[in-house]
């Protein structure tokens, strides 16, 4: 299962630490508007630079199996609607 992570903060780090423990699961991509957190997260989880996005919609349009929304609650509605409109598993 290839995971796309929206947000590179504390909760996304905790979630991703658990994902990498699951057989057949991988943190494939990440999106964050914070460039420093994006790079640190990508390095920590060995995410190819081409799968590190500073724009949520670019990640949403990429290829992955399932998305995890680790963003502030005020962004959940908008992001989940975009994921659903793009027929992504959430």
């Amino acid at each position: 299962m290839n995971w796309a992570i929206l947000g590179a903060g504390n909760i996304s780090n905790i979630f991703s630490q658990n994902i990498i423990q699951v057989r057949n699961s991988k943190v494939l991509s990440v999106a964050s508007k914070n460039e420093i957190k994006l790079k640190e997260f990508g390095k920590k989880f060995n995410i190819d630079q081409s799968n590190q996005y500073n724009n949520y919609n670019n990640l949403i349009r990429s290829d992955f199996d399932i998305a995890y929304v680790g963003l502030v609650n005020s962004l959940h509605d908008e992001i989940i609607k975009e994921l659903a409109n793009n027929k992504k598993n959430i």
Side-chain angles (χ1 to χ4, degrees):
M1 181 97 23
N2 290 316
W3 286 84
I5 310 296
L6 289 107
N10 189 46
I11 193 68
S12 292
N13 272 274
I14 293 168
F15 181 82
S16 296
Q17 281 291 98
N18 288 293
I19 284 300
I20 63 174
Q21 303 300 316
V22 177
R23 186 175 28 155
N24 298 323
S25 288
K26 175 183 179 178
V27 179
L28 176 70
S29 56
V30 61
S32 176
K33 292 188 177 182
N34 181 316
E35 195 68 31
I36 293 169
K37 285 185 179 183
L38 178 64
K39 288 181 181 183
E40 289 174 354
F41 193 96
K43 184 177 180 178
K44 181 176 183 178
F45 295 102
N46 198 28
I47 300 171
D48 190 276
Q49 193 166 359
S50 66
N51 288 327
Q52 296 178 36
Y53 301 92
N54 62 3
N55 180 296
Y56 303 131
N57 287 324
N58 289 344
L59 179 140
I60 291 169
R61 288 190 294 268
S62 71
D63 187 35
F64 57 87
D65 297 320
I66 189 165
Y68 174 76
V69 181
L71 301 168
V72 295
N73 289 345
S74 61
L75 294 177
H76 283 196
D77 185 56
E78 173 189 343
I79 294 298
I80 289 171
K81 284 179 182 175
E82 277 300 311
L83 287 161
N85 287 338
N86 282 274
K87 298 180 179 19
K88 301 294 187 174
N89 295 310
I90 308 163

